[in-house]
């Protein structure tokens, strides 16, 4: 990913992590330069304690070629990416790791191990992906969901997707996250099912079925992001112009939106999968080391928040 340096929002996340302990993290198949450099640099910044799971000889070869110092990092030798995914998930189940990080294997491989019925990391909630975006033209960190896992989410799926994102935003220090539920228009119409889903999600929040956030929708993108656009269209909303979370109607819309922000608005992105026993650091194989470090920082904050809730 090539773009200008971000606006410092990620540095603020790193600063928040500075006083927290590093989180043990199973890294599945870090067998490419940035997939190995990312967790090692995150370790150097005190974010994670990586456990590298993959072919040990190949990991050592990449480290030599790229001058990456592995130090005393624990390496678990397995023969291939499929075995790495299974072993990394097992480490989480055994309590040896509190985070799971995707290396250079395919997303389907690691998620296949995560959702395995008997040996995976499922909870009662739907899995969903969140892009954590540092957009230079926006005044705070912006979460975009779901642009990577749920292709055509049902209404019930969207409720879980929304709750996952709200819980993440609260872990990042937002007291009451504002959720803009996106559609092509801001009026409810049976001709656009996404608008009906949006209205029902807002009613669920009113009834306490979705907790911790302030929801509004349907909102078109312009009046979700711009208070002026909302005012011109006669929309009175506490969310319009100030959302923390953009909830997309489906994967294609969410994915296109996130990538437009990255490649046209010079945004930087981190990525997490939620709805599992532990957060999963899910980055693209094309992501920069900086993006991987940011994802580790966000995941570490979530892990510490979960520790706090367990101890509270």
């Amino acid at each position: 990913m090539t773009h200008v340096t971000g606006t410092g929002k990620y540095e603020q996340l790193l600063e928040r992590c500075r006083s927290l302990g590093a989180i043990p993290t199973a890294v599945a198949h870090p067998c490419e330069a940035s997939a190995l450099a990312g967790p090692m640099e995150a370790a150097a910044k005190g974010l994670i304690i990586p456990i590298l799971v993959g072919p040990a000889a190949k990991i050592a070869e990449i480290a030599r070629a790229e001058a990456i110092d592995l130090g005393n990092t624990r390496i678990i030798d397995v023969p291939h990416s499929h075995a790495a995914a299974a072993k990394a998930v097992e480490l989480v189940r055994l309590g040896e790791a509190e985070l799971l990080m995707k290396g250079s294997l395919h997303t389907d491989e690691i998620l296949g191990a995560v959702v395995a019925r008997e040996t995976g990391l499922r909870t009662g909630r739907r899995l969903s992906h969140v892009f954590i975006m540092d957009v230079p033209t926006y005044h705070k960190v912006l979460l975009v969901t779901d642009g990577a896992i749920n292709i055509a989410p049902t209404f019930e799926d969207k409720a879980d997707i929304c709750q996952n994102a709200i819980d993440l935003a609260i872990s990042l220090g937002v007291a009451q996250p504002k959720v803009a539920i996106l559609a092509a228009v801001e009026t409810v119409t049976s001709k656009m099912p996404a608008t009906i889903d949006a209205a029902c999600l807002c009613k669920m929040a009113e009834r306490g079925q979705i907790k911790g956030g302030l929801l509004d929708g349907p909102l078109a993108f312009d009046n979700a992001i711009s208070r002026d656009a909302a005012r011109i269209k006669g929309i009175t909303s506490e969310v319009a112009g100030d959302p923390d979370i953009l909830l997309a109607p489906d994967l294609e819309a969410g994915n296109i939106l996130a990538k437009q922000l990255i490649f046209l608005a010079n945004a930087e992105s981190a990525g997490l999968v939620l709805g599992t026993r532990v957060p999963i650091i899910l980055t693209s194989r094309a992501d920069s080391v900086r993006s991987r470090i940011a994802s580790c920082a966000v995941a570490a904050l979530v892990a510490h928040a979960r520790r706090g809730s367990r101890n509270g």
Side-chain angles (χ1 to χ4, degrees):
M1 176 188 323
T2 303
H3 46 66
V4 298
T5 303
T7 62
K9 301 184 186 81
Y10 282 170
E11 281 69 23
Q12 293 171 22
L13 289 177
L14 293 176
E15 189 61 35
R16 286 188 58 199
C17 293
R18 198 175 299 279
S19 61
L20 305 174
I23 301 291
T25 303
V27 185
H29 204 254
C31 294
E32 178 274 330
S34 64
L36 183 58
M40 296 312 300
E41 288 202 25
K45 293 182 181 296
L47 301 173
I48 65 171
I49 302 169
I51 305 167
L52 307 179
V53 186
K58 188 170 186 180
I59 292 171
E61 178 186 339
I62 293 166
R64 283 193 299 271
E66 301 295 329
I68 299 170
D69 182 9
L70 298 181
N72 296 320
T73 302
R74 181 182 175 192
I75 301 174
I76 297 178
D77 186 22
V78 296
H80 45 66
S81 58
H82 187 74
K87 184 64 179 179
V89 167
E90 182 187 347
L91 292 174
V92 173
R93 288 179 64 91
L94 292 172
E96 295 183 39
E98 293 179 58
L99 295 173
L100 179 63
M101 184 173 186
K102 173 181 175 284
S104 55
L105 73 175
H106 286 284
T107 297
D108 287 350
E109 281 187 281
I110 194 163
L111 290 185
V114 167
V115 301
R117 192 166 299 279
E118 299 299 327
T119 58
L121 302 174
R122 283 177 177 268
T123 66
R125 200 181 284 178
R126 183 82 180 176
L127 268 69
S128 63
H129 180 272
V130 180
F131 283 105
I132 303 97
M133 316 287 296
D134 178 354
V135 186
T137 53
Y138 195 63
H139 56 281
K140 56 183 173 179
V141 171
L142 187 63
L143 309 185
V144 177
T145 191
D146 175 345
I149 292 181
N150 293 283
I151 297 172
T154 65
F155 167 68
E156 290 82 6
D157 293 338
K158 289 180 181 179
D160 279 352
I161 292 167
C162 185
Q163 190 67 66
N164 286 341
I166 289 170
D167 292 348
L168 171 60
I170 291 171
S171 296
L172 299 181
V174 182
Q176 186 185 40
K178 297 178 180 178
V179 184
I181 307 167
L182 298 180
V185 295
E186 60 280 351
T187 52
V188 180
T189 168
S190 62
K191 295 175 182 172
M192 294 186 181
T195 66
I196 297 175
D197 287 352
C200 291
L201 289 168
C202 291
K203 180 56 70 174
M204 286 183 74
E206 286 180 23
R207 298 285 169 87
Q209 292 174 270
I210 297 173
K211 301 181 185 300
L214 180 63
L215 279 60
D216 198 4
L219 290 171
F221 183 78
D222 56 348
N223 44 62
I225 289 295
S226 167
R227 202 179 298 277
D228 287 341
R231 178 181 51 77
I232 290 168
K233 292 194 174 182
I235 298 169
T236 302
S237 169
E238 292 183 64
V239 173
D242 192 40
D244 301 284
I245 299 165
L246 299 178
L247 181 66
D250 56 30
L251 182 145
E252 288 178 316
N255 190 277
I256 291 168
L257 171 57
K259 289 179 179 175
Q260 281 178 327
L261 292 174
I262 293 166
F263 288 99
L264 288 179
N266 291 323
E268 293 187 295
S269 70
L272 286 188
V273 172
L274 303 168
T276 53
R277 290 192 192 183
V278 301
I280 302 170
I281 302 163
L282 190 73
T283 51
S284 165
R285 283 173 292 167
D287 280 351
S288 66
V289 170
R290 178 178 166 85
S291 176
R292 293 174 193 271
I293 293 171
S295 297
C296 289
V298 173
L301 289 172
V302 174
H304 280 288
R306 291 189 179 191
R307 283 182 179 180
S309 65
R310 285 197 301 267
N311 296 333

